[in-house]
Amino acid sequence: MTPEELMRRAIALSMEKMQAGSGGPFGAVIARGGEIVAEGWNQVTSTNDPTAHAEVTAIRRACTALGRFDLSDCEIYTSCEPCPMCLAAVYWARLRRIHYGNDRQAAAAIGFDDEFLYQEVPKPVAERSIPTARLLAQEAQTAFDAWAAKPDKVPY
């Protein structure tokens, strides 16, 4: 499939699944070598899962389909510029390229304003809007020490 065909599929998913009541108007396709590996769509309201964005559901399905967490040989086609959470998921999955249709300004115009999150993330922890406190750091460090010493760990 061409990049345009893959994007059209992501756009079609955004419309189909939104009209079916799955969630907001967002769709995503993960492809490898021009072939669809997995599809995802927004399911926030239908599953009561705030992380069920199109990109995240597509990544989860692609990892399951391929049996691995590294998607570095794949690309994502998404109907809208990824929000900060989805952008982070794309990076964690190591997708090699992002293609998007609508931008975040268009999403904001219909009530999906991610700009707050873009502004919140770079702030120092003490200045973020959700109060955050470090607790039991020494006890928590024991798990990190065990991971560092674990001979059979799978790095990611």
Side-chain angles (χ1 to χ4, degrees):
M1 297 177 79
T2 68
E4 292 79 12
E5 290 171 322
L6 292 163
M7 182 58 76
R8 284 188 184 104
R9 180 60 190 147
I11 294 166
L13 280 168
S14 72
M15 186 70 116
E16 291 168 18
K17 301 302 183 177
M18 180 262 306
Q19 289 177 333
S22 289
F26 305 97
V29 170
I30 294 180
R32 182 175 61 178
E35 298 297 320
I36 294 175
V37 173
E39 298 179 338
W41 52 90
N42 186 282
Q43 297 177 291
V44 170
T45 58
S46 61
T47 63
N48 294 317
D49 179 355
T51 69
H53 290 200
E55 297 90 341
V56 171
T57 60
I59 288 168
R60 289 173 180 163
R61 289 183 177 118
C63 290
T64 298
L66 296 174
R68 54 190 164 91
F69 55 82
D70 183 334
L71 302 177
S72 58
D73 59 345
C74 298
E75 299 183 5
I76 189 164
Y77 295 80
T78 179
S79 64
C80 186
E81 180 179 359
C83 74
M85 176 187 69
C86 293
L87 185 60
V90 165
Y91 275 89
W92 280 119
R94 293 170 175 69
L95 287 154
R96 67 181 181 161
R97 187 177 300 253
I98 301 168
H99 307 268
Y100 67 91
N102 292 310
D103 62 19
R104 65 194 205 205
Q105 290 78 21
I110 61 165
F112 294 95
D113 192 358
D114 301 330
E115 193 57 37
F116 169 74
L117 295 173
Y118 281 103
Q119 292 174 8
E120 193 76 0
V121 170
K123 288 182 181 177
V125 173
E127 294 177 21
R128 293 182 183 156
S129 65
I130 296 177
T132 305
R134 192 168 185 191
L135 189 60
L136 299 177
Q138 283 186 304
E139 289 181 38
Q141 184 63 42
T142 60
F144 278 17
D145 293 342
W147 174 260
K150 186 173 172 39
D152 61 341
K153 66 181 166 236
V154 176
Y156 60 95

